[in-house]
Amino acid sequence: MLGAGVCALVNACGGSDFHGGPMAAAAGDGHGGETVSAPSGGEPGAGGSQSHAGATALSGAPSDGGAPGAGNAGGAGGAAPTTAPIVVVQTSRTSIVGNADPSLTLSAAPKAGNALIVGISCFSDLDNCIIPDGGVTDNQGNTYALVVEGASIVSSDTHGSRPYLFIAQDIPAPVGAFTITVNPNGTPAENVQNFAWGVIEVSGLAPNSVDQTGRFPNSCCETTTTVETDAATAQANELAVAVHTARSNDNDFNYGHDAAWTERQLNDDGVSQASQHSMVTRVLTEPGVVSHTWTHDEPSRGVAAIIATFRGVAE
């Protein structure tokens, strides 16, 4: 297996501390050109600070992925088939927005044929924050499919935060600035909403790349969270993406992630504008059940997490 309370009123219900308008950056701009080929294993930690939690290896392999597993064997004439490298081309800043349908403009236009994966922690006092299929769009006309929706961290029948993953694949060449927008059920003028979210651009994914997903249910109040896929991955060459959402009256949640993974977006402050949020990724080199463990402070309300894997293309 790959590496492994009641909140304050201001956190649950918005109010003057939730700021609409421009997005704030909680993490650095994209790490363009980061390349991780399938044989090299884990990704470099360019997206943020490394975890205080150790890496857990898959099937006895070293935490950096080790040698290719059985999924790479058996090519024609006894030679192992080759795979295209999975590359995280750019990583957006962490967008933190309150009481507005958030939009984020990528610092560089994505390339034709690549995929865009959107990770979101969303709070709403309507429907415990539901972002339907079609709730993520861009100004280029691409379609974003819902990959996995997490459990809601509730404070009433309608108030709650939850994590999401969406993907747009094989995008055409964009024209002009590339802006992505999130639109959950409800309207900011009529109900409280806030978001911590971000985007990665990925090359090297297969068509219809979604393979495995998994969910960690709403839970309180431990200091670690482990999410894992429901089943083993179909092949060795895949990208794993995991999103953690927390609701806690804590302006420094002390997130830590597995050192074999790369932190993409992060919001440690769950008091001022949005729920705590962490999105991490890892390029896989062996098939198996995939998991990720975060360390963090004990939440006052609860946590939820999701994970998904995306198949790389074979050459």
Side-chain angles (χ1 to χ4, degrees):
M1 180 175 294
L2 276 171
V6 178
C7 73
L9 180 61
V10 66
N11 194 38
C13 302
S16 60
D17 283 341
F18 292 98
H19 307 296
M23 298 166 287
D29 284 341
H31 311 288
E34 178 180 349
T35 302
V36 183
S37 61
S40 67
E43 301 173 65
S49 58
Q50 292 297 325
S51 168
H52 303 299
T56 302
L58 169 67
S59 302
S63 61
D64 66 355
N72 282 343
T82 59
T83 57
I86 295 173
V87 180
V88 177
V89 178
Q90 66 172 312
T91 299
S92 80
R93 73 184 188 280
T94 306
S95 174
I96 302 173
V97 178
N99 292 336
D101 285 342
S103 292
L104 186 157
T105 299
L106 296 179
S107 59
K111 293 183 178 180
N114 287 352
L116 296 168
I117 299 175
V118 182
I120 307 166
S121 289
C122 169
F123 170 86
S124 177
D125 63 3
L126 175 71
D127 297 337
N128 305 126
C129 192
I130 295 294
I131 305 174
D133 264 323
V136 176
T137 58
D138 63 36
N139 64 342
Q140 307 289 325
N142 293 300
T143 297
Y144 291 77
L146 174 60
V147 177
V148 57
E149 173 188 275
S152 182
I153 309 164
V154 300
S155 54
S156 76
D157 289 343
T158 59
H159 295 56
S161 293
R162 69 172 86 224
Y164 283 92
L165 280 169
F166 285 81
I167 187 171
Q169 291 203 239
D170 194 19
I171 64 169
V175 177
F178 197 107
T179 300
I180 301 169
T181 300
V182 178
N183 182 17
N185 290 353
T187 59
E190 298 176 0
N191 69 283
V192 177
Q193 299 177 1
N194 63 67
F195 309 85
W197 67 295
V199 183
I200 58 173
E201 177 190 356
V202 183
S203 66
L205 296 185
N208 302 312
S209 65
V210 177
D211 183 9
Q212 295 300 318
T213 62
R215 300 167 179 82
F216 181 86
N218 174 24
S219 177
C220 194
C221 298
E222 303 299 322
T223 58
T224 63
T225 304
T226 299
V227 65
E228 68 178 24
T229 57
D230 294 334
T233 55
Q235 63 185 50
N237 182 34
E238 299 203 12
L239 175 71
V241 182
V243 178
H244 188 283
T245 299
R247 293 184 65 194
S248 189
N249 189 23
D250 188 341
N251 63 3
D252 185 2
F253 199 50
N254 287 313
Y255 266 122
H257 64 277
D258 187 313
W261 294 59
T262 298
E263 186 173 81
R264 298 297 174 182
Q265 282 90 29
L266 176 70
N267 178 39
D268 261 326
D269 182 357
V271 178
S272 299
Q273 293 187 50
S275 299
Q276 285 94 347
H277 169 85
S278 173
M279 176 165 151
V280 295
T281 67
R282 184 178 183 183
V283 173
L284 310 176
T285 60
E286 296 187 26
V289 173
V290 185
S291 72
H292 181 266
T293 298
W294 290 268
T295 60
H296 46 72
D297 289 347
E298 180 179 323
S300 55
R301 173 68 65 187
V303 302
I306 55 177
I307 191 170
T309 70
F310 303 86
R311 292 177 295 107
V313 65
E315 294 181 328

